[in-house]
Amino acid sequence: MEKELLRIEHLKKGYGTNDVINDLSLTVRKGEVIVVIGPSGCGKSTLLRCVNALEDIQGGQILLDGEPVRKNAPNISRMREKIGMVFQSYDLFPHRTILDNITLAPMKVQKRKKAEVEQEALELLDRVGLKDRKDDYPRQLSGGQKQRVAIVRALCMHPEILLLDEITAALDPEMVREVLDVVLSLAKAGSTMMIVTHEMAFAKAIADRVIFLENGQIVEESSDPKAFFERPETERARQFLHTFDYESD
Amino acid sequence: MDLAVMQSYLPLYRDALFLTLRIGWQGVFLALVFGLVCVIILHLKIPVLKTLTGFYVELFRNTPLLVQLFFLYFALPRIGIRMTPEFTGCLGLGLIGGAYMTETFRSGLESVPKIQEESAQSLGMTPLLAFRHVILPQAVASSVPGILANVIFLLKETSVFSTISLMDLMFTAKDLIGMYAKTIECLVLLVIFYLIMLLPVSVAGSVLERRLRHAEFGD
Amino acid sequence: MQSLGIDVLLRGTNFLRLLSGLWVAVRISLISVAISIAFGIVMGMLMTSKNRILQVIFRIYLEIVRIMPQMVLLFIVYFGTTRVFGWNLSSEKAAVIVFSFWGTAEMGDLVRGALISIPKIQYESARALGMKEKDVYLYVILPQTIRRMIPLSINLITRMIKTTSLVMMIGMVEVLKVGQQIIEANRRTSPNAAFGVFAVVFILYFLICWPISRLSVWLEKRWA
């Protein structure tokens, strides 16, 4: 078994009296792909945002390689280098070309050489089929292309873990596939990922472990995705998965 | 219309134009500096200074330049603060312009979505790096139309300078009308000289704005 | 330390005179805004027409208003037209003409902007519900247009009030002029009255314009 990479202990996150995440604990091992599913408002996106310290937390702790990840902590920029994140709205920097979008952080944050970063960026772009678009601006790309660039941008920082927050939710249906294929190939290559998604077939195909979240708590956890999607153990998960079926009842 | 008379007035108008332009552009420069300083104070939420800045912006945005100039030029000397008319003109323009520029810069910053900062930070950028490379360039680009509108507004506002005895275009026109009663000639020249001063700025502004919109939407 | 002139304003009717000077500015603004709204709505609707000639005329009109200082326009109307046409024009009438000329352009542009910013789908869905053309405008389009326009018109009022300070230059006795008269009359007893008087004028303008512009910002946020 691979070594433990991320450990979330008794995480508590809330706004005022409203708890979004309530005493959640979870560990992620290196190379593992965790898929988090659940009804909207269950706290799954908030969970990812907490792991990247974009939210302050009210209790518990998050450790990456044994080091705490916490918003406004002095080490936070260094910690975030190790945690890549891709958002639903593929927020590329509109004033920079595709290549500049990818190379900006490696050069400014990691102080890497321009030539070396560019070469890596081009290789990655080639892998997602967008090498010829390197000098375009984000607005010239389709949603699916932008999302692939956003993934490359995160990868170029060599993160230890990649957080994908509903990365296909804003895409036209015909573009979903091209993005998910990229993620599948990353999983095959052994990347550690935490994925929030509504694409159940994709979840089933990629997950090493499925987490079903509701009201900020883990309701069901399964290391056998196929079994989970066919015969969930809890009634809540069964009801949730049922909403994706269209048989008349 | 008496063209010979108009021709004989030309040098006076030309000098007035140069004076107006000199004070105008110095005022615009001052306004940009004040605006930048204020918006940084507001952005960093520096206590006390933040409140003072807010008060300054509201005070100068909600009063006419003419009244501000009267205060600077006629009231302040009574408590021992004396300034030359030219300096008063620059300062007045800088103060009112600074208040308007602050608002423009601020809405430029607000127009950058929060998630831009978050995605920069999720790439490990410190807040300072994110501000410098991601937020600021976008904020400046979206502020440009507002900045240009402010520049035109400020250059127009120079027309009140004659009240603090600066020999600008208005002063010259009024003076000549009073002396020789060639009203029409003087007014035509006045309009022509304001056009010379403002039309290029206005045209350059529209071109730049179109270019920026092009850059933003790519069509 | 010598008095700084606040006491001068408390003497006799001085402060009331100052306020009545300010009222001149407010009165001219309100009259001009009313005229501007009426003409502006007509102009805004005309501006959405496809007529090339009308479009060119409106472009030139808007550009003149955009780049000519209001002071120049005041001079042209007050000194120029009286000269050319030989009529008599009070300075107040000249001021109202100029501010209405300016305000109509601004309002016209606002109305046009508001009209074209209503998505086409709003017209279409109203019609799809079987509404008559008149009702489409009355119940769907106009309410949305007015909502967008009110904050901006209120904002125009504050800008007018501020700009009316210029009318002293064509000889109107408004607040600055009254201030000067008060300072002049009390030159011997309080030589420093200029400080107090002009400081008070400064504050008075702020007290009038600030609440109105806050209102406009508040409405804009609420109705956005």
Side-chain angles (χ1 to χ4, degrees):
Chain A
M1 192 158 276
E2 287 285 352
K3 77 174 175 93
E4 178 184 305
L5 183 63
L6 179 77
R7 172 184 280 271
I8 302 170
E9 284 174 344
H10 306 292
L11 177 64
K12 230 174 119 66
K13 164 75 195 170
Y15 304 95
T17 54
N18 179 21
D19 278 345
V20 182
I21 290 176
N22 198 354
D23 194 23
L24 185 148
S25 298
L26 178 71
T27 53
V28 181
R29 283 182 298 277
K30 198 166 180 316
E32 214 179 2
V33 177
I34 309 272
V35 172
V36 185
I37 61 171
S40 46
C42 69
K44 50 194 194 304
S45 283
T46 309
L47 174 62
L48 290 199
R49 290 173 60 84
C50 288
V51 173
N52 203 7
L54 292 171
E55 307 278 347
D56 15 76
I57 56 178
Q58 275 71 51
Q61 60 175 348
I62 298 166
L63 301 167
L64 183 76
D65 285 335
E67 264 195 90
V69 179
R70 191 150 201 155
K71 195 181 180 191
N72 299 329
N75 70 341
I76 191 56
S77 293
R78 189 166 52 78
M79 294 309 289
R80 281 192 182 125
E81 281 179 47
K82 304 187 198 174
I83 311 169
M85 182 155 182
V86 181
F87 300 85
Q88 175 180 334
S89 44
Y90 36 82
D91 295 278
L92 299 181
F93 306 134
H95 59 298
R96 289 179 167 262
T97 62
I98 299 307
L99 190 60
D100 285 348
N101 256 281
I102 301 167
T103 56
L104 178 66
M107 280 163 55
K108 298 295 173 192
V109 177
Q110 299 176 324
K111 311 276 182 222
R112 284 155 65 189
K113 291 262 180 312
K114 185 176 168 146
E116 178 250 328
V117 180
E118 280 193 353
Q119 197 197 340
E120 183 182 356
L122 289 174
E123 275 164 25
L124 287 168
L125 275 176
D126 199 24
R127 261 209 267 161
V128 301
L130 290 170
K131 195 178 176 186
D132 53 330
R133 308 305 295 271
K134 68 181 173 66
D135 295 321
D136 286 349
Y137 282 88
R139 60 171 184 275
Q140 293 164 292
L141 268 57
S142 72
Q145 292 170 328
K146 278 190 254 194
Q147 200 57 291
R148 282 183 274 160
V149 174
I151 294 170
V152 167
R153 184 174 70 175
L155 285 178
C156 210
M157 292 292 288
H158 308 147
E160 294 181 18
I161 182 169
L162 201 55
L163 312 174
L164 307 180
D165 185 9
E166 302 200 32
I167 58 168
T168 56
L171 295 180
D172 290 337
E174 69 268 28
M175 292 169 181
V176 169
R177 188 64 200 237
E178 64 189 47
V179 173
L180 294 186
D181 280 345
V182 169
V183 181
L184 275 168
S185 74
L186 289 176
K188 280 208 192 87
S191 301
T192 316
M193 290 189 276
M194 267 181 91
I195 303 173
V196 166
T197 185
H198 280 124
E199 304 281 338
M200 292 305 147
F202 167 68
K204 195 157 127 188
I206 199 168
D208 292 321
R209 192 143 50 107
V210 182
I211 308 279
F212 176 67
L213 212 61
E214 195 178 56
N215 298 326
Q217 283 173 319
I218 297 177
V219 175
E220 187 169 343
E221 184 173 351
S222 166
S223 300
D224 186 352
K226 292 211 172 50
F228 172 82
F229 283 102
E230 273 148 36
R231 299 175 307 278
E233 281 171 14
T234 57
E235 177 61 17
R236 285 299 304 128
R238 200 185 63 76
Q239 278 177 4
F240 173 72
L241 291 175
H242 190 63
T243 57
F244 290 88
D245 297 332
Y246 286 98
E247 304 128 50
S248 55
D249 47 16
Chain B
M1 250 194 306
D2 191 337
L3 286 178
V5 166
M6 281 170 79
Q7 208 178 355
S8 69
Y9 290 165
L10 273 182
L12 289 171
Y13 274 90
R14 192 200 54 213
D15 292 349
L17 176 71
F18 286 153
L19 179 93
T20 310
L21 276 178
R22 193 172 66 236
I23 303 177
W25 285 110
Q26 284 169 351
V28 167
F29 176 76
L30 219 52
L32 286 168
V33 174
F34 288 166
L36 215 53
V37 172
C38 288
V39 84
I40 289 172
I41 289 173
L42 291 177
H43 189 74
L44 299 180
K45 302 195 171 73
I46 303 173
V48 186
L49 280 183
K50 183 188 74 176
T51 315
L52 287 176
T53 304
F55 182 71
Y56 152 70
V57 169
E58 291 298 328
L59 183 65
F60 279 80
R61 273 168 54 84
N62 286 294
T63 45
L65 176 61
L66 187 58
V67 172
Q68 295 162 16
L69 286 181
F70 266 55
F71 183 77
L72 293 177
Y73 192 67
F74 298 114
L76 285 186
R78 301 292 160 190
I79 55 167
I81 302 170
R82 267 163 233 283
M83 296 173 285
T84 63
E86 189 161 335
F87 186 79
T88 310
C90 283
L91 183 65
L93 213 54
L95 284 172
I96 194 170
Y100 279 89
M101 293 292 183
T102 304
E103 279 297 299
T104 306
F105 290 150
R106 206 172 56 119
S107 64
L109 278 181
E110 274 171 13
S111 75
V112 181
K114 193 167 179 343
I115 193 133
Q116 283 283 323
E117 189 170 4
E118 290 180 346
S119 37
Q121 289 187 358
S122 74
L123 288 166
M125 289 192 208
T126 58
L128 204 65
L129 269 181
F131 185 75
R132 160 83 184 74
H133 293 289
V134 176
I135 312 298
L136 195 64
Q138 295 184 60
V140 169
S142 69
S143 302
V144 166
I147 294 171
L148 285 165
N150 288 345
V151 169
I152 292 177
F153 164 76
L154 290 176
L155 291 179
K156 277 166 77 173
E157 287 283 288
T158 58
S159 61
V160 303
F161 282 168
S162 59
T163 51
I164 54 168
S165 59
L166 277 167
M167 287 198 262
D168 73 333
L169 288 169
M170 285 311 298
F171 186 97
T172 306
K174 202 176 177 186
D175 211 29
L176 288 171
I177 292 173
M179 276 194 292
Y180 307 110
K182 297 277 185 195
T183 311
I184 304 304
E185 287 81 356
C186 287
L187 289 176
V188 168
L189 281 172
L190 183 66
V191 169
I192 291 174
F193 273 81
Y194 268 111
L195 284 179
I196 293 174
M197 181 161 103
L198 286 160
L199 206 51
V201 184
S202 172
V203 171
S206 334
V207 171
L208 200 61
E209 214 168 303
R210 214 167 305 145
R211 192 87 45 94
L212 266 177
R213 204 170 302 152
H214 177 82
E216 217 164 298
F217 300 109
D219 49 27
Chain C
M1 195 174 145
Q2 277 187 302
S3 94
L4 285 174
I6 309 288
D7 55 316
V8 171
L9 290 172
L10 299 175
R11 237 174 267 159
T13 56
N14 281 351
F15 191 65
L16 275 179
R17 281 176 62 206
L18 212 56
L19 286 182
S20 70
L22 200 58
W23 171 242
V24 172
V26 176
R27 189 179 63 213
I28 294 177
S29 312
L30 291 179
I31 296 172
S32 309
V33 167
I35 297 174
S36 303
I37 289 176
F39 284 145
I41 289 174
V42 177
M43 179 175 153
M45 281 153 88
L46 286 176
M47 280 173 80
T48 58
S49 94
K50 298 269 182 291
N51 189 320
R52 293 289 304 166
I53 301 167
L54 269 181
Q55 284 191 339
V56 171
I57 292 173
F58 283 131
R59 267 229 75 84
I60 295 173
Y61 174 28
L62 287 181
E63 192 62 16
I64 291 174
V65 171
R66 206 164 93 93
I67 68 175
M68 264 309 132
Q70 281 87 12
M71 188 89 112
V72 175
L73 299 177
L74 276 175
F75 265 47
I76 291 174
V77 172
Y78 188 65
F79 296 114
T81 65
T82 45
R83 183 89 181 181
V84 174
F85 304 113
W87 60 40
N88 255 327
L89 203 58
S90 72
S91 46
E92 177 157 355
K93 281 204 189 95
V96 169
I97 291 172
V98 167
F99 291 130
S100 304
F101 179 78
W102 164 41
T104 301
E106 295 238 357
M107 282 307 299
D109 209 30
L110 291 181
V111 172
R112 187 195 61 98
L115 281 177
I116 62 170
S117 73
I118 308 273
K120 218 171 137 209
I121 193 87
Q122 289 285 328
Y123 293 85
E124 289 171 351
S125 48
R127 280 182 205 130
L129 288 168
M131 290 171 101
K132 292 200 201 81
E133 211 52 17
K134 175 183 69 106
D135 294 342
V136 172
Y137 276 92
L138 203 58
Y139 297 114
V140 180
I141 306 305
L142 274 180
Q144 298 186 52
T145 319
I146 289 170
R147 251 171 183 244
R148 280 169 213 232
M149 272 175 47
I150 287 179
L152 299 166
S153 333
I154 293 174
N155 181 275
L156 182 64
I157 297 179
T158 65
R159 284 188 293 141
M160 287 242 176
I161 293 176
K162 283 184 281 174
T163 314
T164 45
S165 60
L166 301 182
V167 297
M168 75 168 290
M169 296 288 287
I170 55 168
M172 272 190 83
V173 181
E174 48 61 79
V175 60
L176 276 175
K177 196 81 208 166
V178 174
Q180 282 181 329
Q181 289 169 351
I182 293 173
I183 294 163
E184 209 47 51
N186 297 281
R187 185 164 293 281
R188 286 156 73 78
T189 52
S190 16
N192 287 334
F195 183 84
V197 171
F198 287 137
V200 167
V201 172
F202 200 162
I203 293 164
L204 282 177
Y205 262 105
F206 178 73
L207 290 180
I208 289 192
C209 294
W210 188 68
I212 306 179
S213 70
R214 291 314 298 170
L215 175 69
S216 134
V217 171
W218 183 74
L219 284 177
E220 207 168 340
K221 282 215 182 98
R222 218 179 111 98
W223 287 349

